[in-house]
Amino acid sequence: MPSNLSRYFQDISAKRLSQVDVEPSKSNQHEINTVKEQVALYGSEDRKFRGHFIYVSDDEEQVIEEQAELTYYDSRRKNPDRSPEYRIYYPSNSAIEKAQAGDMIVMARKSPDDLVMIIAPQDSTAERQLLWLFGLEEVGKKFETRDFTEDDRPLGFAGRYIIETLGIEVTDTEPDYLDGILATFGAVFPSTAEFSAYARSTLKEVQSVGQPDIAIMEWLEREELLFRTLENHLVGEKLAGGFADVDDFISFSLSVQNRRKSRAGYAFENHLSHVFDQHGIKYSRGQKTERNNKPDFLFPGIDQYRDDAFSVELLTMLGLKTSAKERWRQVLAEADRIARKHLMTLEPAISKNQTDEMIAQQLQLVIPDSLMETYQPDQQAGLMNLAGFIDHIRGKQSRG
């Protein structure tokens, strides 16, 4: 069943790192001071935490993770005449070494004894996503805390998306659908096109005409739920049967990860194609342009794009990225004839620095309505929803 934030985190504390916190030239203590609200969460006894450091940036290849034990203690315990001063000691590790003063750190407890230290660069998309996920407007130099056992919130698509970027497994499944899936496909993964169509068939009441932004997200979320349900079943069977050797296990694990990544992108394309079909929009999908580039969608089609006599003003290109981050620039080179590109993404809370750069590069960002709230108010004015994009295309095709 869909889950809440408390399923993954008990509480969090967030602040901006100071030079003393992270820079060896300023301090050799490897310690971070806490605030009284954290003491109320962690208790007054000295203790150890199983520590998990994560440095998460906008470069998806630069996520750094490391395990390290953390020590929480009162630095004045031997001086009872002075008020307590609690600190968290951390050992040197590659994740904290990437941090700079001004970056945000989030201390998030997954369980009473497990403390995750998440570090995100200042003004990055990763930072904006964490702020939104944990319900924080901004953080300063002292820790601000949230207790999710008292202030719980549903995750939704954006929340699940952000948690998975941290390498935390989202385990939502719906066992009630399993019998129907197995009866339709057997104990195998069907093609992405077949599975996308099947997901839509379980939501017969959802039609994209009149509500394309709602439809695309409901179809995507339903397919994700059904996929995880089938995957959970098939992986469970494989685990029960065992592996021939270590190589067999590694190969299987990689196949699971690769299937998840590729399936998400194809599902996005499949459902969006269905939206365009239901709206009577003309398009070509995955056709080659210059230098063997293959934009996801060309409107009204590849034949018109290759026809120099066809008006450039009536051509539109739409790229799709389930995760944009730094990869959005790839779209800029995919159709030379079209100066102003469109990109639709499921990435929540992209930083203002990034959206400003997109505007400067003549890239129009298309965001489903339900993800608009993850963006700052001054960003939302420059975003287009799916309904607006369809109106934009329909207007061009009525002229061509």
Side-chain angles (χ1 to χ4, degrees), residues 37-181:
E37 290 82 3
Q38 286 172 290
V39 177
L41 294 171
Y42 303 159
S44 58
E45 297 297 320
D46 295 354
R47 58 179 303 185
K48 303 284 188 180
F49 287 109
R50 290 186 294 272
H52 183 189
F53 283 81
I54 305 174
Y55 178 86
V56 54
S57 71
D58 291 351
D59 183 346
E60 294 174 325
E61 304 301 321
Q62 288 296 313
V63 176
I64 300 172
E65 298 186 53
E66 193 162 326
Q67 308 290 331
E69 186 177 68
L70 302 169
T71 302
Y72 168 76
Y73 74 105
D74 177 9
S75 63
R76 295 176 176 174
R77 192 169 297 281
K78 295 181 180 180
N79 297 283
D81 294 336
R82 302 179 67 187
S83 59
E85 184 177 275
Y86 287 88
R87 299 177 181 175
I88 293 180
Y89 171 83
Y90 63 86
S92 295
N93 64 84
S94 55
I96 198 73
E97 287 171 3
K98 288 283 292 183
Q100 299 181 22
D103 290 352
M104 186 174 73
I105 185 169
V106 179
M107 296 185 182
R109 278 203 302 172
K110 296 174 66 177
S111 72
D113 299 317
D114 290 276
L115 186 59
V116 183
M117 310 277 268
I118 310 166
I119 303 155
Q122 189 171 16
D123 296 327
S124 64
T125 292
E127 178 191 84
R128 288 305 315 168
Q129 290 177 341
L130 291 171
L131 287 169
W132 180 86
L133 176 67
F134 296 126
L136 301 166
E137 290 294 326
E138 187 48 271
V139 291
K141 296 180 179 179
K142 291 187 176 182
F143 278 110
E144 184 173 342
T145 63
R146 291 284 188 277
D147 184 351
F148 298 119
T149 62
E150 297 178 358
D151 177 27
D152 204 0
R153 61 194 67 190
L155 280 180
F157 180 91
R160 293 193 299 273
Y161 179 103
I162 296 168
I163 283 178
E164 289 196 325
T165 67
L166 302 175
I168 297 172
E169 180 81 4
V170 174
T171 55
D172 294 347
T173 61
E174 185 50 81
D176 289 347
Y177 285 108
L178 182 58
D179 287 345
I181 297 172

Side-chain angles (χ1 to χ4, degrees), residues 280-319:
I281 299 293
K282 299 175 184 177
Y283 64 91
S284 291
R285 177 178 167 182
Q287 295 295 314
K288 290 183 180 180
T289 56
E290 302 81 7
R291 301 174 300 281
N292 286 324
N293 282 308
K294 295 173 68 175
D296 295 299
F297 291 93
L298 281 171
F299 307 87
I302 188 62
D303 291 338
Q304 291 82 1
Y305 183 84
R306 291 172 178 165
D307 182 359
D308 291 339
F310 190 82
S311 173
V312 171
E313 293 182 0
L314 300 181
L315 294 172
T316 306
M317 191 214 81
L318 177 67

Side-chain angles (χ1 to χ4, degrees), residues 214-258:
I214 294 174
I216 190 72
M217 293 306 295
E218 290 204 12
W219 290 337
L220 283 167
E221 291 196 64
R222 175 58 58 85
E223 180 166 351
E224 179 71 15
L225 188 65
L226 297 180
F227 175 81
R228 289 298 175 93
T229 299
L230 177 58
E231 181 187 64
N232 188 62
H233 172 75
L234 296 181
V235 170
E237 286 193 334
K238 177 64 176 177
L239 292 175
F243 300 90
D245 50 35
V246 172
D247 288 340
D248 184 28
F249 170 77
I250 293 174
S251 176
F252 178 75
S253 177
L254 289 173
S255 71
V256 170
Q257 295 299 320
N258 291 335

